[in-house]
Amino acid sequence: MLKLYTNTNFLTETYRRQVFPLLFDLVFKQHQKLLEKYSIVSNVNDANIVVLPLDYAVFLKQREPFLALLKAANTAKLPIWIYTAGDYGFTNFIPNSYTFRLGGFDSKMDKNTYVLPSFINDPYASVLTQGFTVLKKTNTPNIGFVGHAQSGVLKYLKDYTNHLKYQFKRKCNKILADKQWFYPSSVKRANYLKRLAVNEDLETNFILRTKYRAGSQTIETQLETTQQFYDNLFNNAYTFCIRGVGNFSVRFYETLAVGRIPILLNTDCRLPLSNQIDWTKHCLIIDASSHITIADQILEYHNSLTASAFENIQRSNRNLWLNTLQRDAYFLEIYKQFKTKK
């Protein structure tokens, strides 16, 4: 069992939304499988790991408790787990620390940075009531996408304005986040999808929105757009995935959960548990800078798969999400890795 020491005064309803995800599951959800592997101890001398209880940007403002935990970890010579939330995340330079974050740039993150999957509900538990089945391989790869993708000068300028606002807030220390270069994800997404849509060697089933979730404002329309989104994932073997505001794609994990094959545009991403998962066996990672077009990279990959391999990838992806990338499963994998570090 891994014994965690933290400041439990912050594990309350007041900070519920900012709590380190594992601590949330242990305290608020009391997840039985995780409680068999982790426990929270009241004495740092009994601990294996010190955990900052809240998102780093939030807990840093609690100056005395923050420094007290760092001192406790240093005195006991224990590693520190740090959670940094949000689209961007933040790189800290605290010695002997391990950072958990949603995204960031692989080339800029050290080996002690762990990428969290986007934790989503099982789509087969609520939306896709027909249950998981694999799709048979067809001669032409069928690619789906439903989501926000809008091109044009006005959209570009709007995104650039939002980027400048972010830069201003960051420089004024109003937000704690890593530096980001301008990346108009919606514009780029629309342009890539349009190129694929005109290729006669591909079967594309794209629904492009001009607003997130089609601007849904009622429960009924939210349910409708969610159903449409997951039906598109289910009915297409491949789904095109590209980063959003932050350098990660929620759609990537939604595709895996449905048991389909993500086509991920590589933007210097780091994927979860990359030290143990061979991601090339679960998705097609596209290099947009290659002299080979994106369409040709997709066709080459699709044609390289036998019918049985094509079906096996779908099963493997569904199992990967169930057994490794769901919230509890992910932290059970983290337990295995840190258990060996003791």
Side-chain angles (χ1 to χ4, degrees), residues 144-197:
F145 179 90
V146 175
H148 188 199
Q150 183 181 5
S151 58
V153 175
L154 290 178
K155 176 58 178 173
Y156 184 93
L157 291 175
K158 180 180 179 181
D159 286 353
Y160 189 64
T161 300
N162 289 335
H163 176 72
L164 292 177
K165 290 178 181 177
Y166 152 77
Q167 293 282 40
F168 177 78
K169 289 179 180 179
R170 182 176 174 274
K171 288 182 179 179
C172 294
N173 294 320
K174 293 183 180 295
I175 58 173
L176 189 66
D178 283 349
K179 183 178 180 180
Q180 303 276 320
W181 60 77
F182 177 52
Y183 193 90
S185 56
S186 177
V187 175
K188 286 182 174 288
R189 191 180 294 127
N191 291 338
Y192 284 125
L193 292 170
K194 286 176 182 177
R195 282 187 232 168
L196 296 176

Side-chain angles (χ1 to χ4, degrees), residues 19-260:
V19 171
F20 191 115
L22 173 61
L23 296 180
F24 181 91
D25 286 352
L26 294 174
V27 174
F28 291 94
K29 285 190 158 185
Q30 297 190 333
H31 196 288
Q32 189 57 42
K33 288 185 179 179
L34 291 176
L35 288 169
E36 292 172 3
K37 302 298 183 183
Y38 296 95
S39 66
I40 298 174
V41 296
S42 57
N43 190 324
V44 69
N45 295 318
D46 296 328
N48 307 117
I49 298 165
V50 170
V51 184
L52 300 192
L54 307 178
D55 167 26
Y56 185 82
V58 176
F59 193 55
L60 185 62
K61 296 176 182 178
Q62 307 291 331
R63 193 67 180 166
E64 290 185 10
F66 176 81
L67 293 175
L69 271 186
L70 294 191
K71 182 179 179 180
N74 184 55
T75 302
K77 296 181 171 54
L78 294 176
I80 305 168
W81 282 5
I82 296 170
Y83 167 55
T84 174
D87 287 328
Y88 299 119
F90 180 73
T91 300
N92 72 81
F93 297 96
I94 297 173
N96 202 25
S97 66
Y98 295 82
T99 299
F100 293 80
R101 59 191 292 175
L102 281 170
F105 300 95
D106 185 46
S107 61
K108 296 183 180 297
M109 294 189 289
D110 64 20
K111 62 181 178 61
N112 287 354
T113 300
Y114 284 75
V115 169
L116 294 164
S118 295
F119 296 126
I120 60 172
N121 295 324
D122 188 347
Y124 288 105
S126 56
V127 185
L128 298 174
T129 55
Q130 66 269 47
F132 170 67
T133 56
V134 299
L135 298 178
K136 302 293 183 181
K137 185 182 179 186
T138 56
N139 291 331
T140 304
N142 53 319
I143 308 167
F145 179 90
V146 175
H148 188 199
Q150 183 181 5
S151 58
V153 175
L154 290 178
K155 176 58 178 173
Y156 184 93
L157 291 175
K158 180 180 179 181
D159 286 353
Y160 189 64
T161 300
N162 289 335
H163 176 72
L164 292 177
K165 290 178 181 177
Y166 152 77
Q167 293 282 40
F168 177 78
K169 289 179 180 179
R170 182 176 174 274
K171 288 182 179 179
C172 294
N173 294 320
K174 293 183 180 295
I175 58 173
L176 189 66
D178 283 349
K179 183 178 180 180
Q180 303 276 320
W181 60 77
F182 177 52
Y183 193 90
S185 56
S186 177
V187 175
K188 286 182 174 288
R189 191 180 294 127
N191 291 338
Y192 284 125
L193 292 170
K194 286 176 182 177
R195 282 187 232 168
L196 296 176
V198 298
N199 191 301
E200 295 180 353
D201 294 322
L202 305 174
E203 179 188 336
T204 56
N205 298 292
F206 300 157
I207 301 174
L208 308 187
R209 312 287 199 195
T210 57
K211 293 182 179 179
Y212 176 69
R213 291 187 69 117
S216 299
Q217 295 183 341
T218 67
I219 294 177
E220 290 76 13
T221 55
Q222 287 177 6
L223 291 173
E224 182 181 343
T225 56
T226 298
Q227 187 70 54
Q228 191 174 44
F229 174 84
Y230 276 111
D231 283 345
N232 186 272
L233 280 178
F234 183 84
N235 292 321
N236 292 282
Y238 300 96
T239 290
F240 187 78
C241 304
I242 180 176
R243 61 164 286 186
V245 176
N247 193 32
F248 63 95
S249 167
V250 178
R251 183 178 282 102
F252 177 82
Y253 302 103
E254 291 165 329
T255 306
L256 293 171
V258 174
R260 299 297 181 251

Side-chain angles (χ1 to χ4, degrees), residues 309-327:
F310 181 78
E311 294 180 20
N312 285 337
I313 291 174
Q314 295 173 65
R315 295 188 187 94
S316 178
N317 285 355
R318 172 64 179 163
N319 289 331
L320 177 70
W321 184 82
L322 283 172
N323 300 321
T324 308
L325 299 178
Q326 284 196 92
R327 189 175 175 123

